[in-house]
Amino acid sequence: MQDILSAILAGAPGEELAALPVPESYRAAYVKRDEMGMFEGLESDDKDPRTSLHVGEVATPDLAPDEACIAVMASAINFNTVWTSIFEPLPTFGFLDRLGREGVWGARHALDYHVVGSDASAVVLRVGSAVRNWKPGDKVTVHCNYVDDQSPTAHDDSILADNQRIWGFETNFGGLADLSVVKANQLMPKPTHLSWEEAAVNALCNSTSYRMLVSKNGAPITQGDKVLVWGASGGLGAYAVQYCLNGGATPVGVVSSQSKVDLLHELGVEAVIDRKVAGYKFWKDEFHQDESEWRRLGKDIRGLVGDDVDIVFEHPGRQTMGASVFAAKRGGTIVTCAATSGYMIEYDNRHLWMKLKTIKGSHFANYREAWDANQLVCEGKIIPPLSAVHTLEHVGEAAYQVHKNLHEGKIGVLCLAPEEGLGIDDHELRAKVGEDRLTLFRRHGA
Ligand code: NAP
């Protein structure tokens, strides 16, 4: 692996990389099948990724004809790695076993360890015999929509494919590792003005927010829209507010600390609510919500932007969904992709039907959406909200930070990249986008 890394750092051409042997094993972060009961009886909050995530050598899988073997320079923590590492809502080994029953290449995935991670910036080392558009030496980022393109169901909107999966969550050989194998149709060009770790954090959350707020498949914003964004400085929210600003909409960001309020102001988000200061108590107890608290949120929003919101960008789930359905304006849309605080949702249906609101489900993005979202990063129109960087050895701590909501934006993880700041090719574009802007979250997170 050292030879591969030295060649990459020296800028070796693709032919040279292609001539270097791919090692038979590699360093990776994984959870173990025989430990999936380790947190039984504990509350979610007390389940600690630092005890379940291991870093060690695993065998390099064979390469399928439609795949690329990549040297991972950096990766990122996503909430799905938190879910895998606390074995909630289900252990992910069930996903691997199901994939394992899908033919000879699928069988590689059903192992007693699950290599996690759904983001990467990387260099292509090998491509399978059916790969046409990529070659050794290409610098890439990886999106996580893992789709069998021989299924007819994958050929309208591939996220609707009946065997669609998320790489590194519902498949093995994820990105928190020094090597990975991915489908060629997961690859996208690496933004040339970003370091490896800046480039690594975007694909999953950026593409998800793009589909939710820009794509026709989500709840696309139009100029003048007002958009309530929960967790507005978090992984998804940090992209959502940028899409609002770029698209002429007005984001109303909700966060939980003054430092996050300051960060959003610096990013250009004027209307921000600190939910800790506001002290909303949407739930009176475990079973009953408090409509007067929903009204208070609505009043606070109108106080900031003069109107109700056209769109609510939802992902906290049980704790906020009742308030979100209430807060959307007549005819508005609540677009949701998650339920961090609980997936059994309750809202007052009268507010939905009488005011003709829509709840729209959304999940990651298809290749085209991920590609277009990546292009905006490549052009410097979307900045990476990288706030902290950990080494792969400390992946457990990095996942713990996200689990405990101690972070802002995205946490990057150095895999093969020996230090931060490497991999920047286009210094002119970087200067044009602005060093201050590109490092905004990093400065706040430091
Ligand atoms: P994140 O970086 O942890 O950000 C989420 C933010 O939500 C937190 O920073 C927090 O912000 C806010 N939040 C958390 N609990 C809340 C609550 N009870 N009430 C109000 N706000 C709350 O996570 P993320 O990457 O944005 O992901 C968020 C969720 O979306 C996760 O469940 C993840 O699995 C899911 N997700 C789904 C997809 C998909 O394709 N379906 C893609 C990406 C992520 P404040 O404390 O500052 O308010």
Side-chain angles (χ1 to χ4, degrees), residues 77-80 83 144 159 166 204-205 208-209 212 230-238 254-257 260 273 275-276 282 313-320 336-341 362-365 401-403 405 407-410:
I77 302 296
N78 283 293
F79 220 94
N80 65 5
W83 296 126
C144 62
I159 200 79
I166 297 294
L204 191 149
C205 281
T208 305
S209 297
M212 290 171 78
W230 292 105
S233 70
L236 290 170
V254 185
V255 289
S256 63
S257 72
K260 291 179 178 182
I273 295 174
R275 67 183 170 100
K276 282 271 161 63
F282 300 134
F313 184 86
E314 232 312 317
H315 51 87
R318 184 168 173 82
Q319 284 297 325
T320 55
T336 176
C337 73
T340 315
S341 66
S362 193
H363 185 46
F364 189 59
Q401 297 275 323
V402 174
H403 181 32
N405 194 17
H407 68 302
E408 289 163 350
K410 298 291 308 173

Side-chain angles (χ1 to χ4, degrees), residues 299-317:
K299 194 168 164 225
D300 289 347
I301 293 169
R302 284 192 295 280
L304 284 168
V305 295
D307 202 354
D308 292 327
V309 289
D310 301 270
I311 299 169
V312 182
F313 184 86
E314 232 312 317
H315 51 87

Side-chain angles (χ1 to χ4, degrees), residues 129-387:
S129 56
V131 175
R132 295 177 306 280
N133 298 337
W134 304 94
K135 58 183 188 323
D138 285 345
K139 296 176 181 177
V140 294
T141 57
V142 182
H143 76 76
C144 62
N145 188 24
Y146 184 94
V147 171
D148 174 5
D149 61 13
Q150 290 179 25
S151 167
T153 58
H155 285 269
D156 177 10
D157 175 6
S158 62
I159 200 79
L160 294 177
D162 53 14
N163 57 3
Q164 183 279 333
R165 294 181 164 89
I166 297 294
W167 163 64
F169 179 61
E170 294 162 292
T171 80
N172 217 321
F173 320 127
L176 285 161
D178 289 341
L179 274 188
S180 183
V181 292
V182 299
K183 285 187 182 284
N185 64 14
Q186 290 177 252
L187 298 177
M188 309 186 293
K190 173 191 168 288
T192 52
H193 63 300
L194 299 183
S195 66
W196 292 114
E197 61 281 3
E198 289 167 343
V201 299
N202 304 300
L204 191 149
C205 281
N206 183 35
S207 313
T208 305
S209 297
Y210 179 95
R211 181 173 174 110
M212 290 171 78
L213 290 181
V214 182
S215 166
K216 64 175 167 35
N217 293 315
I221 45 181
T222 50
Q223 292 192 31
D225 275 354
K226 297 176 176 62
V227 185
L228 180 67
V229 180
W230 292 105
S233 70
L236 290 170
Y239 297 99
V241 294
Q242 292 188 67
Y243 282 118
C244 291
L245 294 171
N246 288 0
T250 302
V252 181
V254 185
V255 289
S256 63
S257 72
Q258 185 57 43
S259 83
K260 291 179 178 182
V261 173
D262 296 341
L263 170 58
L264 286 181
H265 283 329
E266 211 178 319
L267 189 60
V269 182
E270 286 174 16
V272 186
I273 295 174
D274 183 337
R275 67 183 170 100
K276 282 271 161 63
V277 171
Y280 302 122
K281 243 182 141 250
F282 300 134
W283 287 83
K284 284 191 261 199
D285 56 44
E286 207 184 322
F287 304 105
H288 302 95
Q289 297 195 57
D290 185 345
E291 184 166 333
S292 68
E293 286 294 273
W294 301 347
R295 287 188 190 284
R296 195 156 69 84
L297 170 69
K299 194 168 164 225
D300 289 347
I301 293 169
R302 284 192 295 280
L304 284 168
V305 295
D307 202 354
D308 292 327
V309 289
D310 301 270
I311 299 169
V312 182
F313 184 86
E314 232 312 317
H315 51 87
R318 184 168 173 82
Q319 284 297 325
T320 55
M321 192 66 166
S324 293
V325 169
F326 179 82
K329 79 161 46 150
R330 193 177 280 273
T333 305
I334 301 95
V335 58
T336 176
C337 73
T340 315
S341 66
Y343 50 80
M344 293 306 281
I345 298 296
E346 264 181 50
Y347 59 87
D348 185 335
N349 204 28
R350 292 169 300 176
H351 292 298
L352 191 86
W353 98 70
M354 292 294 288
K355 295 192 175 152
L356 302 115
K357 304 181 189 185
T358 303
I359 297 175
K360 174 91 190 166
S362 193
H363 185 46
F364 189 59
N366 61 38
Y367 193 10
R368 178 59 193 263
E369 290 162 340
W371 185 280
D372 289 349
N374 184 64
Q375 195 55 35
L376 293 166
V377 180
C378 289
E379 292 170 13
K381 291 177 178 152
I382 292 290
I383 60 150
L386 174 73
S387 65

Side-chain angles (χ1 to χ4, degrees), residues 1-23 69-74 121-126 135-140 177-180 190 195-196 415-419 422-425:
M1 199 66 86
Q2 190 51 48
D3 290 348
I4 290 174
L5 177 58
S6 303
I8 291 171
L9 294 177
E15 309 80 68
E16 203 174 300
L17 282 174
L20 290 171
V22 172
C69 176
I70 56 173
V72 182
M73 302 305 285
S121 63
V123 178
V124 175
L125 297 177
R126 294 278 191 284
K135 58 183 188 323
D138 285 345
K139 296 176 181 177
V140 294
D178 289 341
L179 274 188
S180 183
K190 173 191 168 288
S195 66
W196 292 114
C415 297
L416 281 173
E419 59 188 87
L422 303 176
I424 301 167
D425 290 323

